């Protein structure tokens, strides 16, 4: 099982790269922080998680060890797959995630991509004790609610989910919304769209 790779970046894609390791090109799906730091024809190294299924072997890589540990920790939560874990790691640091779980901050978790209320509750329950190593360098006084970049869509989605709409329904409605809408405008537009199919 591959656990680490070191080589030269040959090609870059939106969510992945091809890493040349002694003439062999490995396609690695990477978190957004690692992706932003990559440039073609430069050296890079990754901690690797190898996901094996009947029809595919997929590599997920992170340059940051804490992010990698969080990624693998998330995979132990029922219902969280590798792509979902990668999306979460791309949105929040390991330290902020540990703070959120330690403080039982469900609101922060539900702002993460693909995490609804039920998923957040499972994460809080299943990782409450496991996140301690990620947070052991922080005293209890230093624990503050995690900071996640809020977007208009995040705020609008939160309001719509409170009304009982699913993430899939909300996402579909947002795709048809006018660009540069405010939170209020986006909510009104989405409600109009969603009620059309009710």
């Amino acid at each position: 099982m591959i656990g680490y790779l070191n080589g030269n970046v040959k090609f870059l894609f939106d969510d992945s790269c091809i890493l040349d390791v002694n003439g062999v090109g490995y396609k690695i799906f990477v978190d957004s922080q690692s992706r932003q730091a990559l440039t073609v024809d430069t050296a890079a190294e990754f901690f690797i998680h190898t996901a094996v299924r009947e029809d595919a072997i997929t590599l997920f890589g992170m340059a940051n060890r804490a992010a990698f540990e969080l990624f693998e920790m998330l995979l132990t939560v029922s219902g969280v797959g590798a792509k979902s874990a990668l999306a979460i790691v791309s949105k929040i640091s390991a330290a902020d995630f540990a703070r959120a779980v330690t403080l039982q901050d469900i609101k922060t978790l539900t702002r993460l991509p693909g995490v609804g209320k039920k998923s957040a509750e499972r994460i809080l329950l299943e990782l409450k004790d496991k996140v301690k190593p990620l947070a052991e360098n922080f005293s209890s006084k230093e624990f503050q609610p995690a900071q996640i970049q809020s977007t208009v869509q995040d705020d609008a989605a939160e309001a719509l989910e409170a009304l009982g709409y699913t993430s899939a329904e909300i996402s579909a409605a947002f795709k048809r919304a006018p660009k540069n809408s405010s939170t209020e405008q986006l909510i009104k537009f989405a409600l109009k769209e969603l009620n059309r199919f009710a």
Side-chain angles (χ1 to χ4, degrees), residues 28-175:
I28 306 169
F29 289 91
V30 296
D31 61 295
S32 61
Q33 287 78 19
S34 297
R35 172 63 183 80
Q36 290 170 10
L38 297 176
T39 54
V40 174
D41 292 330
T42 59
E45 58 182 353
F46 299 98
F47 295 97
I48 297 292
H49 172 83
T50 306
V52 180
R53 300 187 312 186
E54 289 184 5
D55 58 343
I57 297 176
T58 309
L59 303 181
F60 295 87
M62 276 125 270
N64 180 278
R65 183 172 179 176
F68 181 71
E69 290 179 359
L70 171 57
F71 174 86
E72 295 221 304
M73 192 178 295
L74 285 165
L75 295 180
T76 67
V77 178
S78 56
V80 178
K83 289 192 175 180
S84 295
L86 190 67
I88 292 171
V89 169
S90 294
K91 187 75 171 180
I92 189 170
S93 71
D96 280 344
F97 182 88
R99 291 188 186 98
V101 174
T102 300
L103 293 171
Q104 296 290 286
D105 181 4
I106 194 168
K107 184 176 180 180
T108 288
L109 296 183
T110 55
R111 297 178 77 90
L112 295 168
V115 180
K117 186 177 179 181
K118 289 185 178 179
S119 297
E121 289 172 346
R122 282 200 303 271
I123 288 171
L124 291 177
L125 177 65
E126 297 181 31
L127 297 186
K128 183 178 180 180
D129 296 324
K130 294 181 181 179
V131 298
K132 289 180 180 178
L134 292 176
E136 62 186 1
N137 294 326
F138 300 91
S139 70
S140 59
K141 292 182 180 179
E142 291 176 313
F143 273 73
Q144 300 295 331
Q147 297 297 311
I148 296 180
Q149 183 179 1
S150 176
T151 67
V152 168
Q153 285 199 359
D154 289 336
D155 293 336
E158 184 177 348
L160 291 166
E161 285 175 359
L163 295 175
Y165 295 103
T166 67
S167 297
E169 290 172 332
I170 295 167
S171 178
F174 284 175
K175 288 180 180 178

